[in-house]
Amino acid sequence: MFFTPDPVVPDWPYCGDGVTGGDRAGCTGRSVDPHSSCLVHLSALERDTHLASLNAGDDIDYRGTSFTDQLLDQLLNALKDPATNSPRLGDARFASATFTGDADFESAAFAGDADFESATFASVARFYSATFAGRAWFNRATFSREAQFDSVNFTGFAGFESATFTGVARFYSATFAGDAWFLLATFIDAATFISATFTDAGFRAATFTGDANFHRATFAGDARFPSAAFTGTAQFRSATFTGTADFSAATFTGDARFHFAAFSGDARFESATFTGIAWFGSATFTGFAWFEATNFTEDVDFRATVFEQAGELGPLVCGKTVFLSGARFSGPVTLSIAARGLECHRTRWASTATLRLRHADVDFAHADFEYPLSIAAEQAPFPNSRGNRGAVVPEERLADTAGSGVRIVSLRGVDAAHLVLADIDLTRCLFTGTVHLDQIRLEGNCTFAIVPARTQWRRLRPQRFTQRRTLAEEHHWRSRQPTAIPGWQQATPDTGHTEHVGPAQLAPVYRALRKAFEDSKNEPDAADFYYGEMEMRRHDHLRPRAERALLAAYWALSGYGLRATRAVVWLLLAMTGTLLAMMLWGLPADSWKPETVGSVTGRQVRLPAEKPDPVNATNALHERLSTKRFEKGLRVVVNSVIFRSSDQELTTAGTYTEMASRLTEPVLLGLAVLAIRGRIKR
């Protein structure tokens, strides 16, 4: 069973009261005193008499009345002030009235309160240049077509709560000297508040289906937009917010443009959702900027934005890139950001700063900071203090990223004297041009690029690089060489220009990073950067050829004193060569056996014992490789390694061989010991 709701009975004397037939039946228009009919249903003579009795500034009451444009024109002409040639009204009561044609209140002056609550404007509503000296109520009013409030002056309270604007809502250069309330208002088409001036403005839970334009608007008091929904473009370019600007839990489906806006009070965007691009470029936040649990689907632009006392920015989530290039943070700040990218070109921090990041590729080129600044990768999602206990900031838009690690892609032009990195991926980071790189602090697990792992064959020769930490610029340089093997990373347009970076530029970078590790008592990891430094010096064609040859020998023999295996192999080869040389040519044919031949002359006895020169072996070479000669040769070799003489009788060739082995083999042994020490030293 269906029930038809009872019609709402007006609380004023109305035209259709008690009338069951005719035009007046169901009419809720306010009866015109002393008549029982409303202005519409008066006779022509009664209507003319009533209108003639009106004067400018009179109070009027036409609640529930249905106005055509002709009838409204007659009424406003009756209230026209001869001094201004515009209508002047006292208290004007048009609640629940219906304007079937154009409602033309242009330049009208409402000296008292104006009540248009629940009024319906079926056609254009023109209020531009009107003046409301008292309170103005448009709560639950319906504007079916364009609503023109350009240059309107609201001296008192202006209420548009739950109003519906089906057509364009124009408030260009409107002035709201009192509170302006648009709570739960619905703007289906464009809403234009360009250059409007507000004291306290309330747009809580308002819905903007079309574009919302607040370009150059001024909010002298608080601007409240919590839970507002912007489906089209939200334009707040060059807007001025003197009090608190509250956009918490607001939804921006289109682009949100706040560039050049000035926030003198706190700016609250907690739990707001931005589906389109969010523009805050060149905006100024004098108070605190709250972006906790704010979610951005597209890029968010803070280029050249000024944060005077941000305190904490975030935690926020961005599905693409957060641009902070050229931004300035005047006070201590903590940035908590989960994003695909973070760009900080020439960003300036005038005080201490902490960057807590997730997922992001960070471009920190030419960032400027004079106080300690740390960049740390957060392992767990950020907690959401606005949610339930234990709630975290959701990261659905980053679900397809490879882990939550943070990668810095450039530190070029940065003064790293106060920079601390913790658990950062530096595999693709560009370091050339970084100042005071030797003073950087690397905490936790900071990873660097590594050389190609597998053995490569080139022209029937195997090429293999010992595993070590390297710089991305070395990868780019090696990948450009004609003899490059697969596995070296190539430069891409996103990595910046590195074609002019070569060994001469990379050697100082490796040296600075080596010193940074050494200063932090991390000798084993510093060894990789010493190796890289020496490699760049060896490949630097601007260095003298003799120096490069010496470095090449140092590399080949022991990997610059860092590859123990290489030094041990060379030592074993040298010992084997020495042993073979001793067995083949160094040991004499027979050992000398002393014989004494005496002669007696008178009372003197002479016993000469002269040692003959060693005689080279003359038998076949394979016959010299005997066990006995091996034992003697091995004794010579072992004693040579520890820089001792074996006292073994040697041929001339053996003597020189021993001298050579006593010079080279202890050096190789020392290089092997040095390499082992470099890997275990703390």
Side-chain angles (χ1 to χ4, degrees):
M1 180 178 293
F2 295 93
F3 296 92
T4 302
D6 294 334
V8 177
V9 178
D11 59 355
W12 58 80
Y14 60 97
C15 180
D17 188 12
V19 179
T20 59
D23 293 341
R24 291 177 55 190
C27 177
T28 59
R30 172 70 163 84
S31 300
V32 177
D33 294 334
H35 307 286
S36 60
S37 301
C38 67
L39 185 62
V40 176
H41 293 105
L42 290 176
S43 66
L45 178 60
E46 292 172 338
R47 185 184 306 112
D48 292 341
T49 302
H50 170 71
L51 294 176
S53 67
L54 297 177
N55 295 302
D58 283 354
D59 296 339
I60 57 175
D61 186 355
Y62 298 105
R63 288 173 287 177
T65 303
S66 180
F67 286 92
T68 63
D69 49 356
Q70 295 86 355
L71 181 59
L72 181 61
D73 288 345
Q74 293 176 12
L75 174 62
L76 295 179
N77 284 331
L79 296 170
K80 187 172 295 185
D81 188 345
T84 61
N85 200 33
S86 296
R88 180 164 59 87
L89 301 80
D91 288 343
R93 308 182 73 177
F94 289 95
S96 300
T98 300
F99 299 88
T100 59
D102 291 352
D104 192 351
F105 289 90
E106 179 180 356
S107 300
F110 294 86
D113 293 341
D115 183 6
F116 287 86
E117 186 170 349
S118 299
T120 299
F121 297 86
S123 189
V124 178
R126 296 189 184 91
F127 285 88
Y128 50 82
S129 297
T131 302
F132 294 86
R135 293 168 293 181
W137 284 282
F138 288 86
N139 300 338
R140 295 182 295 282
T142 300
F143 299 86
S144 300
R145 294 182 61 187
E146 187 172 356
Q148 300 175 354
F149 287 86
D150 299 344
S151 301
V152 171
N153 193 326
F154 295 92
T155 303
F157 172 82
F160 289 84
E161 183 176 348
S162 299
T164 300
F165 297 85
T166 304
V168 176
R170 295 174 52 90
F171 289 85
Y172 190 99
S173 297
T175 300
F176 298 87
D179 293 346
W181 294 105
F182 289 83
L183 283 71
L184 298 170
T186 300
F187 299 86
I188 297 176
D189 207 326
T192 302
F193 290 85
I194 298 175
S195 299
T197 301
F198 298 88
T199 303
D200 280 347
F203 288 84
R204 179 185 295 274
T207 300
F208 298 86
T209 304
D211 294 343
N213 196 337
F214 289 83
H215 179 43
R216 294 195 305 274
T218 300
F219 298 87
D222 293 340
R224 301 181 179 91
F225 289 83
S227 301
F230 298 87
T231 304
T233 299
Q235 177 68 269
F236 288 86
R237 178 186 174 93
S238 301
T240 301
F241 299 88
T242 304
T244 298
D246 186 0
F247 289 87
S248 57
T251 302
F252 298 86
T253 304
D255 291 349
R257 302 177 181 272
F258 288 87
H259 36 323
F260 298 100
F263 298 87
S264 298
D266 291 348
R268 311 190 69 94
F269 289 88
E270 303 104 309
S271 299
T273 300
F274 295 81
T275 304
I277 299 176
W279 306 82
F280 291 88
S282 299
T284 301
F285 293 88
T286 304
F288 290 100
W290 301 98
F291 285 87
E292 184 176 359
T294 308
N295 205 307
F296 299 90
T297 301
E298 298 291 329
D299 296 335
V300 53
D301 184 3
F302 288 103
R303 292 186 180 98
T305 302
V306 177
F307 298 89
E308 294 293 345
Q309 50 175 350
E312 183 167 357
L313 188 65
L316 60 85
V317 176
C318 178
K320 291 190 176 179
T321 301
V322 178
F323 293 93
L324 285 170
S325 297
R328 177 168 62 87
F329 294 87
S330 299
V333 64
T334 297
L335 278 69
S336 302
I337 298 173
R340 295 182 189 273
L342 175 62
E343 183 183 286
C344 297
H345 290 176
R346 302 187 186 280
T347 307
R348 186 172 186 274
W349 283 271
S351 187
T352 56
T354 300
L355 277 66
R356 302 165 57 234
L357 309 176
R358 286 175 54 79
H359 304 281
D361 289 344
V362 184
D363 191 342
F364 223 63
H366 303 285
D368 181 16
F369 48 93
E370 301 176 2
Y371 295 87
L373 183 146
S374 64
I375 304 176
E378 293 293 315
Q379 305 303 318
F382 296 115
N384 184 2
S385 62
R386 296 178 62 85
N388 297 326
R389 184 176 181 180
V392 297
V393 178
E395 299 179 353
E396 290 88 352
R397 291 179 174 85
L398 300 172
D400 59 339
T401 57
S404 61
V406 177
R407 298 156 295 278
I408 293 183
V409 298
S410 180
L411 286 174
R412 286 184 165 182
V414 171
D415 187 342
H418 301 288
L419 180 60
V420 180
L421 305 180
D423 299 317
I424 302 297
D425 184 352
L426 301 171
T427 301
R428 297 187 290 125
C429 185
L430 303 181
F431 285 97
T432 51
T434 306
V435 182
H436 295 141
L437 188 57
D438 59 323
Q439 299 180 39
I440 193 172
R441 288 181 54 194
L442 303 177
E443 305 289 346
N445 183 26
C446 291
T447 58
F448 289 82
I450 58 176
V451 300
R454 61 186 183 276
T455 301
Q456 305 284 343
W457 289 86
R458 184 175 181 82
R459 295 179 182 178
L460 301 180
R461 291 185 304 170
Q463 291 186 354
R464 182 180 182 276
F465 290 86
T466 306
Q467 288 301 295
R468 61 180 174 90
R469 295 173 179 83
T470 60
L471 300 181
E473 289 102 326
E474 182 181 347
H475 274 259
H476 301 163
W477 170 74
R478 288 189 183 271
S479 68
R480 297 194 302 266
Q481 305 309 303
T483 59
I485 63 174
W488 294 106
Q489 300 175 16
Q490 296 183 351
T492 64
D494 296 336
T495 60
H497 300 287
T498 60
E499 60 269 15
H500 300 298
V501 176
Q505 292 76 31
L506 290 175
V509 178
Y510 273 113
R511 186 181 307 118
L513 287 172
R514 171 179 61 84
K515 185 176 183 300
F517 276 97
E518 290 174 346
D519 290 346
S520 62
K521 307 303 181 184
N522 190 350
E523 297 284 350
D525 289 341
D528 281 347
F529 295 94
Y530 173 73
Y531 193 103
E533 175 191 354
M534 302 300 284
E535 275 286 89
M536 294 303 100
R537 290 175 59 188
R538 181 169 69 91
H539 288 286
D540 185 2
H541 293 281
L542 299 178
R543 292 185 177 273
R545 183 174 298 178
E547 178 184 346
R548 294 176 56 212
L550 181 61
L551 290 173
Y554 193 19
W555 164 77
L557 291 175
S558 64
Y560 309 113
L562 296 173
R563 301 296 180 254
T565 302
R566 193 178 306 179
V568 170
V569 169
W570 278 110
L571 176 60
L572 293 176
L573 289 175
M575 293 174 64
T576 302
T578 303
L579 178 59
L580 288 174
M582 288 295 177
M583 293 175 66
L584 295 174
W585 304 286
L587 297 175
D590 295 302
S591 300
W592 172 66
K593 297 179 180 179
E595 295 181 356
T596 303
V597 180
S599 63
V600 180
T601 305
R603 295 183 178 180
Q604 295 181 348
V605 179
R606 298 181 61 196
L607 301 173
E610 294 183 1
K611 179 180 180 181
D613 293 332
V615 179
N616 293 328
T618 58
N619 55 339
L621 292 179
H622 68 278
E623 294 178 355
R624 303 176 196 178
L625 301 177
S626 63
T627 304
K628 183 177 181 181
R629 292 175 67 86
F630 174 81
E631 188 274 332
K632 292 180 180 180
L634 182 61
R635 191 182 306 122
V636 175
V637 171
V638 172
N639 280 280
S640 296
V641 171
I642 60 176
F643 214 75
R644 290 180 55 187
S645 176
S646 63
D647 296 328
Q648 173 66 47
E649 186 177 14
L650 303 173
T651 64
T652 302
T655 301
Y656 284 106
T657 301
E658 182 188 35
M659 293 172 59
S661 66
R662 290 176 64 187
L663 176 64
T664 58
E665 292 168 7
V667 172
L668 293 172
L669 178 62
L671 291 175
V673 173
L674 179 65
I676 295 173
R677 179 179 179 274
R679 287 302 182 184
I680 63 175
K681 181 181 178 182
R682 284 292 184 266

